[in-house]
Amino acid sequence: MNETTRTYDVIVIGAGPVGENVAERARAAGLSTVIVERELIGGECSFWACDPSKALLRPVVARADARRIPGLGQAVAGPLDVEAVLAHRDKMSSYWKDEDQVDWLNSVSVDLIRGHGRLTGPKQVAVQTPDGEIVALTARHAVAVSTGTRAALPPIPGIDTVRPWTSREATSADKVPGRLAVVGGGVVAVEMATAWQALGSQVTMLVLEDALLQRMEPFAGELVTDGLREAGVDIRFETSVTSLAREGGEVHITLADGGHLAADEILLATGRTPNTRDLGLETIGLTPGDWLKVDDTFRVTDVADGWFYAVGDVNHRALMTHQGKYQARIAGTVIGARAKGEPIDDTPWGTHAATADHAAVPQVVFTTPEVAAVGLTTHEAEQSGRRIKVVDYDLARVAGAHQYGENYRGHARMLIDTDRDTVVGVTFAGPGVGELVHSATIAVAGEVPLHRLWHAVPAFPTLGEIWLRLLETHRS
């Protein structure tokens, strides 16, 4: 093997959207920066998660909305054009090619090395390239890991024989399975059940818990359950899988209650695990395969001298692309400031502190109906010891909901910290609510006093009028 040696101010391992943003911010601070990636530049979100999944779901949600509108229902009564939907998905995933992403890295003057990067000691990274070359990298100031996560597969007997779908296969499959079993009840499970049922699969969901979306407010999971069942999805709660086998092209599923189920494909949407197993963590005193614990500036707390950073899903703070990119903007800025000896403002909501990870994480679930939430749930708020007031309102009573479509069903909840008179959590469930989440995020992150929110007047007749109704309900 040939070996070359290079030195940079900053080394970033992982060129998904998080790593790209760390590198761009560090480079903007004037630091020489290299990014290492063993797969496609753009990472999971661009090619196997956010972009392809939402491309599959957008036609489903748009058709569901159109069916509620007088004059359009009959026009959209037929099935989706599967070929067109999959072609749109392929386009939105850039046909699994990353030339545009490489061009962007070049435009911000970040060097790229393709290959598998492993730590070999403090500030040392070795990259094995596809042609067998070893590139030995040294960082003057920082190494940042943004390697994300992969699907966590449960230890089910027979799993190795059935070639199960993970989120990757579910978002990139090129044909519709006649029968799809989905194991799980979280976001990936409900979104992919929504997409593939609409594309023609008969979907059966096998959910270990007694409800969907258990990390959100209960009414959200209930409305999504109703929507999936109305679409034809068979949802079985408190159901676990004890063994799997593939015979004659079919997946045979044995359930804990002794029941059996046959499917053409099975999607295991059972959580995520960090991509840290083959990262060389042992060379700096950490355990391979572990999540990387960080402070609010994204320094890994168990590594001395403050040169090692972990940004995005790999730190287990908030496993969403938009939150990882927020972390990256902060981490890259922090690295630049520390390299220059500038003061660090890591106080809550300071320039160099990712406070939103704790207080204002937004999320949208693209099902029918949609769910949008930010901040705390009722359970989380109660667990935190806060004194809260729960304000609920039926979204169907808002004028904008009547305009949105007939037979609108939805619900909204606002959590008020009664000691501070601010909003600490908001959850919406209903058609079209995804576009409400940023207004809620501003209210929570801005800690806007309720008396000031009264002066934020929602336009009539929009779904945004829910803010007025929630405030009125609170006052009364």
Side-chain angles (χ1 to χ4, degrees):
M1 292 184 181
N2 296 319
E3 181 171 329
T4 60
T5 302
R6 305 181 195 174
T7 300
Y8 290 88
D9 292 325
V10 180
I11 301 167
V12 180
I13 305 176
V18 176
E20 288 176 318
N21 275 267
V22 173
E24 188 275 333
R25 285 293 84 203
R27 189 69 190 91
L31 303 180
S32 62
T33 305
V34 63
I35 197 165
V36 179
E37 177 56 55
R38 63 186 177 87
E39 291 189 299
L40 294 173
I41 313 305
E44 200 79 12
C45 179
S46 298
F47 300 105
W48 300 287
C50 316
D51 286 339
S53 68
K54 301 321 171 271
L56 290 173
L57 286 158
R58 179 58 189 150
V60 180
V61 174
R63 181 180 66 167
D65 286 345
R67 284 176 169 176
R68 298 185 185 94
I69 301 173
L72 273 180
Q74 187 61 37
V76 294
L80 292 170
D81 183 335
V82 173
E83 184 176 346
V85 172
L86 295 182
H88 172 62
R89 184 272 317 274
D90 293 351
K91 179 180 179 181
M92 294 302 292
S93 302
S94 300
Y95 305 100
W96 290 275
K97 297 179 181 179
D98 62 3
E99 288 89 346
D100 288 347
Q101 303 275 0
V102 174
D103 289 344
W104 180 83
L105 284 176
N106 289 333
S107 75
V108 295
S109 301
V110 171
D111 287 354
L112 167 66
I113 300 176
R114 291 187 184 269
H116 182 69
R118 297 183 81 256
L119 293 154
T120 55
K123 297 185 183 179
Q124 304 292 317
V125 174
V127 183
Q128 182 169 357
T129 68
D131 60 6
E133 181 183 14
I134 299 294
V135 182
L137 302 174
T138 299
R140 296 186 186 93
H141 296 292
V143 175
V145 170
S146 300
T147 49
T149 62
R150 63 185 185 279
L153 300 181
I156 302 173
I159 190 172
D160 294 336
T161 69
V162 300
R163 303 181 301 281
W165 279 11
T166 66
S167 54
R168 283 198 169 198
E169 290 76 20
T171 55
S172 62
D174 59 5
K175 64 179 181 179
V176 179
R179 299 161 298 172
L180 174 65
V182 177
V183 180
V187 175
V188 171
V190 297
E191 287 191 345
M192 291 298 93
T194 298
W196 289 106
Q197 179 73 30
L199 289 169
S201 289
Q202 174 53 61
V203 176
T204 301
M205 296 188 70
L206 306 173
V207 185
L208 183 62
E209 298 83 9
D210 61 0
L212 300 179
L213 300 176
Q214 289 222 318
R215 295 184 180 180
M216 307 185 88
E217 296 284 7
F219 67 80
E222 291 165 6
L223 284 167
V224 171
T225 298
D226 291 345
L228 286 167
R229 282 179 167 160
E230 288 167 8
V233 176
D234 177 7
I235 305 176
R236 306 183 190 184
F237 291 115
E238 299 181 283
T239 300
S240 61
V241 177
T242 57
S243 68
L244 297 169
R246 188 179 283 274
E247 300 173 5
E250 286 189 336
V251 179
H252 293 268
I253 305 163
T254 303
L255 307 176
D257 63 4
H260 295 271
L261 179 69
D264 297 293
E265 301 290 351
I266 182 168
L267 164 61
L268 299 177
T270 49
R272 308 291 294 179
T273 191
N275 283 322
T276 61
R277 186 166 298 282
D278 191 19
L279 196 56
L281 293 182
E282 68 279 2
T283 68
I284 58 170
L286 300 179
T287 303
D290 279 0
W291 300 98
L292 297 174
K293 183 180 179 181
V294 298
D295 62 21
D296 277 356
T297 69
F298 301 102
R299 275 179 164 171
V300 176
T301 55
D302 293 330
V303 174
D305 300 327
W307 60 271
F308 191 45
Y309 292 76
V311 194
D313 288 3
V314 75
N315 62 38
H316 207 218
R317 286 166 63 107
L319 276 66
M320 282 164 277
T321 296
H322 50 268
Q323 209 67 24
K325 291 166 72 173
Y326 159 76
Q327 295 177 9
R329 293 190 292 272
I330 290 173
T333 303
V334 166
I335 291 168
R338 285 183 172 139
K340 297 175 182 179
E342 297 173 352
I344 300 298
D345 179 9
D346 58 0
T347 58
W349 302 111
T351 301
H352 304 114
T355 311
D357 281 354
H358 310 296
V361 176
Q363 182 173 18
V364 178
V365 185
F366 293 85
T367 44
T368 53
E370 291 178 343
V371 180
V374 65
L376 303 177
T377 64
T378 305
H379 176 72
E380 289 168 341
E382 291 171 346
Q383 290 292 106
S384 73
R386 289 176 172 84
R387 292 198 304 167
I388 63 163
K389 179 179 179 181
V390 180
V391 182
D392 285 302
Y393 198 84
D394 181 356
L395 257 170
R397 295 168 57 194
V398 174
H402 295 288
Q403 296 287 353
Y404 200 91
E406 294 181 325
N407 302 313
Y408 188 102
R409 291 182 61 206
H411 195 80
R413 173 169 292 179
M414 178 172 68
L415 305 181
I416 298 170
D417 183 324
T418 57
D419 292 324
R420 304 186 64 208
D421 206 35
T422 59
V423 180
V424 294
V426 184
T427 299
F428 304 111
V433 300
E435 298 304 327
L436 293 175
V437 74
H438 194 57
S439 59
T441 303
I442 292 170
V444 174
E447 299 178 334
V448 183
L450 291 185
H451 71 266
R452 191 60 176 266
L453 276 181
W454 273 100
H455 296 283
V457 182
F460 180 89
T462 66
L463 289 174
E465 196 180 12
I466 184 60
W467 282 103
L468 174 59
R469 302 306 172 213
L470 287 168
L471 291 168
E472 288 176 335
T473 303
H474 166 55
R475 277 199 173 180
S476 63

